[in-house]
Amino acid sequence: MSISYPRDFMSIVDDIKKMRIRGAGRIARAAIKALKLVSESFEGDDREEFIEYIKSASKILLNTRPTAVSLPNALRYVLFRLLEEYRSGGSLEALKETVNKSVNSFVKLSKNALKKIGEYGARLIDDGDVILTHCNSAAVLSIIIKAKADSKNISVYATETRPRFQGRKTIKVLNKYGVRTTLIVDSAVGYFMNKINKVFVGADAILANGALINKIGTFSIAIIANEFNVPLYVAAETYKYSPDSLFGVKAKIEERSPTEVISPSFLSRLNYVKVRNPAFDITSPRYITAIISEVGIYHPSVFPRVAEKIFKFRYSELYPWE
Ligand code: RUB
């Protein structure tokens, strides 16, 4: 039997897939708001059917973008609470109310986390700092904007972040806040690193060994920063921790269409050429100075333990949508 979903839900699914909604934090918030729409639209009167409906919508959301772990974690947050209510015999109304409340509380904690990360991260920034950032991370921007609001005299180098040019979003925001910014091509990071004294990047996932998954190019930037003894800080909410990496589940690195890199007509004339377009890469914890979270600043080896404590992952039920 085919299940139908509300149109608004499908349009959020499409927005995430096509990257009109992007960035790990935003993806997570949008996905569970979409789940709330599904919950509200349920017209049946059967508790089991409701649970199945929510689980199947969750699986659709999980398939939108595979790498940002904030998405499954946000779903876990809602589904843990929903299943608890279901097992304790809650009525359909109570189940819907649980979805509603937990979506709202996740969105609130996520926005609050961004604010706290801004506060903690800004403490690491000194007057006169020249910062490099890559891609477009709301968590990193929160730090830079707070440092600027604290009247620190700073400037930023932002990479353009090919092939999707998320760096253009970053420079627009920095410009709005009056932060002096230089846009550079991704391959110029080595050329400019001697001018930089701190690197800040966001996170799509932090693995159990403290490794970072973030926008493609982060790994190269980390190596260059290391070569120049420039500290690299990661801005990551605790819900960027990947709980299943603890059991050796391999992170999924999204590979996007070659058409983002080269036009299909050009490529079709090159018989021996193929294009690879991974959207993310993995940076070893050895290159990470510290991870700035909403509950403090931690060494990458400590962050996973802190995240587990804050998020309260249930290792017995890591895939509640199944
Ligand atoms: C975005 C990206 C960002 C992280 C963190 O990739 O790699 O650095 O998602 O962002 P994409 P935030 O544009 O492919 O989604 O701090 O906003 O969660």
Side-chain angles (χ1 to χ4, degrees):
M1 195 186 73
S2 80
I3 308 174
S4 73
Y5 299 96
R7 194 180 302 162
D8 309 3
F9 168 80
M10 290 314 294
S11 91
I12 295 178
V13 165
D14 199 51
D15 284 348
I16 299 176
K17 265 192 192 154
K18 304 221 170 100
M19 290 179 68
R20 285 186 289 267
I21 296 173
R22 45 145 303 281
R26 277 197 192 89
I27 291 172
R29 290 191 294 274
I32 54 166
K33 282 184 192 165
L35 201 64
K36 188 161 126 180
L37 296 173
V38 167
S39 161
E40 286 165 355
S41 76
F42 182 75
E43 281 175 345
D45 51 16
D46 188 271
R47 287 177 358 115
E48 281 78 36
E49 258 176 43
F50 177 73
I51 296 291
E52 286 316 309
Y53 191 49
I54 294 289
K55 284 184 177 178
S56 68
S58 301
K59 285 185 212 156
I60 293 175
L61 288 164
L62 282 168
N63 283 328
T64 50
R65 292 199 68 197
T67 304
V69 79
S70 50
L71 169 50
N73 280 345
L75 292 172
R76 284 179 178 118
Y77 185 94
V78 177
L79 290 184
F80 288 158
R81 285 160 179 78
L82 171 64
L83 292 174
E84 209 163 70
E85 181 64 34
Y86 172 74
R87 285 173 193 138
S88 69
S91 66
L92 186 59
E93 274 322 297
L95 298 182
K96 286 187 174 183
E97 188 48 25
T98 304
V99 173
N100 191 26
K101 271 195 181 148
S102 44
V103 168
N104 293 345
S105 78
F106 183 89
V107 171
K108 200 167 153 204
L109 80 80
S110 164
K111 290 189 174 162
N112 199 38
L114 279 180
K115 189 165 172 273
K116 296 303 287 181
I117 288 173
E119 287 166 12
Y120 284 120
R123 292 184 199 166
L124 296 170
I125 297 180
D126 300 311
D127 215 33
D129 270 354
V130 182
I131 293 160
L132 173 81
T133 191
H134 182 49
C135 195
N136 176 253
S137 155
V140 169
L141 284 172
S142 172
I143 293 171
I144 298 173
I145 290 163
K146 176 73 172 90
K148 174 75 184 170
D150 291 346
S151 303
K152 288 180 185 161
N153 173 25
I154 53 170
S155 63
V156 174
Y157 279 72
T159 57
E160 59 177 354
T161 319
R162 279 176 186 260
R164 297 293 299 238
F165 299 106
Q166 287 93 331
R168 292 177 186 170
K169 290 191 188 302
T170 297
I171 59 171
K172 244 172 140 176
V173 176
L174 293 175
N175 185 64
K176 183 176 147 202
Y177 284 89
V179 178
R180 283 177 297 119
T181 303
T182 307
L183 178 71
I184 60 172
V185 297
D186 300 342
S187 44
V189 167
Y191 182 84
F192 287 112
M193 193 55 87
N194 64 357
K195 300 190 186 307
I196 307 293
N197 55 348
K198 275 159 202 159
V199 176
F200 286 84
V201 290
D204 281 84
I206 308 278
L207 307 182
N209 66 349
L212 164 70
I213 301 185
N214 192 48
K215 180 53 56 194
I216 190 80
T218 304
F219 176 42
S220 322
I221 293 173
I223 291 174
I224 297 169
N226 184 260
E227 177 70 21
F228 283 76
N229 282 322
V230 173
L232 180 137
Y233 296 103
V234 178
E237 302 87 330
T238 49
Y239 59 78
K240 303 278 180 72
Y241 172 61
S242 165
D244 45 12
S245 66
L246 188 61
F247 306 104
V249 176
K250 272 188 89 180
K252 291 190 196 99
I253 300 292
E254 177 181 10
E255 181 115 12
R256 298 187 60 85
S257 165
T259 59
E260 290 186 345
V261 181
I262 192 169
S263 80
S265 61
F266 185 29
L267 186 60
S268 67
R269 280 179 265 133
L270 308 172
N271 289 341
Y272 299 99
V273 177
K274 68 174 178 184
V275 174
R276 297 282 311 270
N277 183 20
F280 301 96
D281 59 24
I282 306 183
T283 300
S284 154
R286 153 161 63 112
Y287 299 118
I288 299 170
T289 309
I291 300 179
I292 305 154
S293 77
E294 72 275 24
V295 286
I297 301 171
Y298 300 94
H299 188 267
S301 60
V302 179
F303 176 86
R305 300 296 81 76
V306 174
E308 283 172 336
K309 220 165 142 189
I310 300 295
F311 198 90
K312 301 189 183 71
F313 291 100
R314 294 180 202 180
Y315 285 108
S316 56
E317 200 174 20
L318 274 187
Y319 308 110
W321 42 81
E322 278 174 0

